[in-house]
Amino acid sequence: KNEVEQSPQNLTAQEGEFITINCSYSVGISALHWLQQHPGGGIVSLFMLSSGKKKHGRLIATINIQEKHSSLHITASHPRDSAVYICAPPEGSGGSNYKLTFGKGTLLTVNP
Amino acid sequence: NAGVTQTPKFRILKIGQSMTLQCTQDMNHNYMYWYRQDPGMGLKLIYYSVGAGITDKGEVPNGYNVSRSTTEDFPLRLELAAPSQTSVYFCASSPYNSPLHFGNGTRLTVT
């Protein structure tokens, strides 16, 4: 089973700050998911990445497969970015969606 | 496209009652999943399906059953509800090894 550690568990930032959320996992994988859970509970997939870096708007996700580590960055943070961010690698190197291990999430609060 | 639609949004059950959580998707995704989310815990997989007529257990299947008679629908059945099944339930779908699409969740309380 893949052990997933996210840090920090809670993060409070001022609007405009650069945010970094980290995810470490124990078993080598081929791809990893980042999800966003809104305060109302809905979950949205942000990224699925297997190497290097992906960018979508102000969000950037990076992954280092060899070091078993991924980061999610938010540039110019805004109060609407306030949410729980969840890292989800698969159980093993097979990379299957149906064997994802979900982190407990990082609660981000961005104050105006 | 409506995406993934879950019903109901909220439900209160008495111990021992049964119910079905409905999930339907209109994106023609082969893969569908049921998760539960308990406070302070990560999502846990209950059951999943890789296509119509094929289902398999996830990490926490006890007390639940599923069926997948069509590509679109993946209902989750709770038999003999127990307080331990109080949780938020999410249905999701995806193509093979692609980002997941989630429903809005069902908040279930068993008292």
Side-chain angles (χ1 to χ4, degrees):
Chain A
K1 185 172 167 63
N2 216 334
E3 301 295 330
V4 182
E5 288 286 336
Q6 283 188 239
S7 62
Q9 287 186 323
N10 293 282
L11 180 55
T12 300
Q14 288 301 120
E15 183 172 356
E17 286 185 6
F18 182 83
I19 304 294
T20 295
I21 298 169
N22 294 301
C23 174
S24 296
Y25 49 91
S26 59
V27 177
I29 60 167
S30 58
L32 175 145
H33 298 251
W34 279 101
L35 310 172
Q36 179 193 55
Q37 186 165 24
H38 300 295
I43 301 174
V44 175
S45 178
L46 297 175
F47 295 102
M48 178 180 171
L49 71 167
S50 55
S51 64
K53 179 166 76 173
K54 282 192 175 181
K55 185 171 189 270
H56 185 253
R58 294 179 295 105
L59 272 61
I60 303 167
T62 64
I63 190 168
N64 186 318
I65 296 289
Q66 287 74 28
E67 294 190 5
K68 302 187 183 66
H69 183 268
S70 178
S71 293
L72 178 68
H73 307 283
I74 304 175
T75 61
S77 59
H78 189 276
R80 65 175 174 266
D81 297 325
S82 298
V84 175
Y85 292 86
I86 301 167
C87 162
E91 269 189 6
S93 59
S96 300
N97 271 0
Y98 50 84
K99 296 287 188 180
L100 293 179
T101 302
F102 293 85
K104 292 181 182 178
T106 294
L107 175 60
L108 172 64
T109 304
V110 182
N111 294 319
Chain B
N1 285 351
V4 179
T5 303
Q6 279 184 247
T7 56
K9 287 188 170 59
F10 303 95
R11 184 73 187 266
I12 298 174
L13 281 182
K14 294 190 186 305
I15 295 171
Q17 287 185 322
S18 301
M19 75 164 294
T20 299
L21 281 66
Q22 302 291 347
C23 176
T24 188
Q25 53 95 6
D26 61 359
M27 297 171 283
N28 202 33
H29 290 166
N30 283 332
Y31 289 75
M32 295 189 75
Y33 322 83
W34 274 106
Y35 298 98
R36 61 177 287 172
Q37 186 178 41
D38 299 321
M41 304 297 291
L43 289 157
K44 293 194 185 298
L45 182 65
I46 305 171
Y47 271 95
Y48 67 96
S49 169
V50 302
I54 306 169
T55 63
D56 207 348
K57 295 177 181 178
E59 186 181 356
V60 290
N62 290 345
Y64 307 95
N65 278 299
V66 294
S67 60
R68 184 96 183 270
S69 56
T70 66
T71 299
E72 294 79 18
D73 299 307
F74 191 42
L76 178 72
R77 177 86 178 156
L78 279 72
E79 304 282 2
L80 299 174
S84 61
Q85 293 178 303
T86 294
S87 190
V88 181
Y89 292 83
F90 288 96
C91 178
S93 72
S94 76
Y96 175 71
N97 272 2
S98 297
L100 278 67
H101 298 251
F102 286 84
N104 288 330
T106 296
R107 188 172 296 273
L108 175 68
T109 303
V110 182
T111 62

